[in-house]
Amino acid sequence: MSDEAQSMTIIAFSGDLDKLWPTMILSSTAAATGMEVTVFYTFWGLFPLVKDDVRITGKDSMTKMLSGMNAPGFQGAKLSKMNMGGMGRRMMRKVAKKGNLMPPEELFAICEDMGVNMWPCQMTMDLLGIKSEQMRPNLGTPVGAATALQKMAKSDISLFI
Amino acid sequence: MEFDRAVDAKGQSCPMPVLLTAKAAKEMTSGEVMFLEATDAGARSDIPAWAEQTGNELIESSEEGDVLSFYIRKK
């Protein structure tokens, strides 16, 4: 291995529960391996960063409806397949607990502790009317596609999840 | 084998054994030895991979029943 720290950038596009897991597992493990890690949250991937007690985000009826359909916050995250009105999500969380797999919100907190860069997408925030004060504290400054691409260009590993 | 720090990751699933190992290593000084136990079968390859990636030395690994044991020397 070289002396220079390796780096990984993940584009977190999906807000699905089953996709948040690999994002959080890979981010925390990469940070534990000494890599510099950045996660760029965009489109549906932005919703998990909304505080769990914020039920609705948006600036007009359409964006409010979209936020209702996507249930903001980690707790609202659905399964990508067979969610079945929340039953799939509850089952998956139970299975994870039984298998000692930490929930994604706890892995997110570990990632934060380890200094993983959490970058919200400014464009998605504007488009969907999600305000900074509705999102978790301690996130990075919202950035755009060019900043995310610059980071990816310099990263040893770039993923789109 | 003697060690300076014990880490118990038994009963924890991926990625916790690696995260606990990294956390302990961060708090240790160079040359100190960690004794790690885990039951996650993934740790069998994950801990050697972590050691190689971070430059810490995996001195010895063994298995007894479901428990995987590792001795790691901090870089």
Side-chain angles (χ1 to χ4, degrees):
Chain A
M1 76 168 249
S2 75
D3 282 343
E4 203 173 313
Q6 292 181 313
S7 58
M8 175 172 81
T9 300
I10 296 180
I11 308 300
F13 168 78
S14 171
D16 293 337
L17 179 64
D18 40 339
K19 297 190 182 149
L20 289 170
W21 255 304
T23 302
M24 293 304 143
I25 291 171
L26 290 171
S27 299
S28 56
T29 306
T33 308
M35 293 187 193
E36 196 220 338
V37 185
T38 303
V39 186
F40 177 64
Y41 297 88
T42 187
F43 283 86
W44 316 121
L46 198 61
F47 281 115
L49 297 188
V50 175
K51 291 176 193 158
D52 281 315
D53 57 348
V54 175
R55 303 293 293 274
I56 293 284
T57 57
K59 53 191 175 182
D60 51 30
S61 59
M62 291 259 262
T63 50
K64 279 177 185 158
M65 240 164 79
L66 274 171
S67 85
M69 281 152 63
N70 281 283
F74 274 98
Q75 294 303 331
K78 301 179 176 92
L79 278 190
S80 57
K81 286 178 188 163
M82 306 294 274
N83 189 54
M84 297 185 286
M87 202 167 87
R89 165 184 63 206
R90 284 193 293 277
M91 271 169 64
M92 188 59 210
R93 281 191 175 268
K94 265 192 189 161
V95 166
K97 198 173 179 186
K98 214 174 159 192
N100 295 314
L101 170 59
M102 218 174 239
E105 60 274 13
E106 284 180 34
L107 288 167
F108 181 91
I110 291 176
C111 286
E112 280 188 312
D113 277 352
M114 297 178 105
V116 171
N117 301 313
M118 303 294 188
W119 290 358
C121 167
Q122 180 70 64
M123 182 278 289
T124 309
M125 288 173 66
D126 296 341
L127 183 76
L128 298 177
I130 298 174
K131 302 183 191 79
S132 284
E133 59 267 28
Q134 292 176 318
M135 298 197 299
R136 294 168 159 268
N138 309 320
L139 300 174
T141 311
V143 297
T147 315
L149 280 167
Q150 185 188 38
K151 201 75 179 167
M152 290 170 86
K154 291 177 186 164
S155 293
D156 300 283
I157 304 167
S158 291
L159 300 172
F160 184 92
I161 301 179
Chain B
M1 194 182 299
E2 288 191 14
F3 53 87
D4 306 285
R5 170 112 187 206
V7 176
D8 181 6
K10 293 196 292 289
Q12 306 227 44
S13 130
C14 173
M16 289 318 288
V18 166
L19 300 190
L20 292 171
T21 303
K23 188 169 181 262
K26 211 173 173 182
E27 292 160 5
M28 291 165 63
T29 55
S30 184
E32 281 188 329
V33 173
M34 180 197 310
F35 173 59
L36 164 71
E37 287 180 298
T39 48
D40 171 27
R44 192 179 288 126
S45 59
D46 271 10
I47 298 301
W50 173 85
E52 193 190 334
Q53 194 68 22
T54 53
N56 293 291
E57 184 196 351
L58 180 59
I59 308 166
E60 195 187 298
S61 58
S62 58
E63 291 186 41
E64 206 179 309
D66 292 338
V67 182
L68 307 162
S69 307
F70 305 89
Y71 287 93
I72 299 159
R73 183 175 287 117
K74 158 110 175 178
K75 181 173 68 164

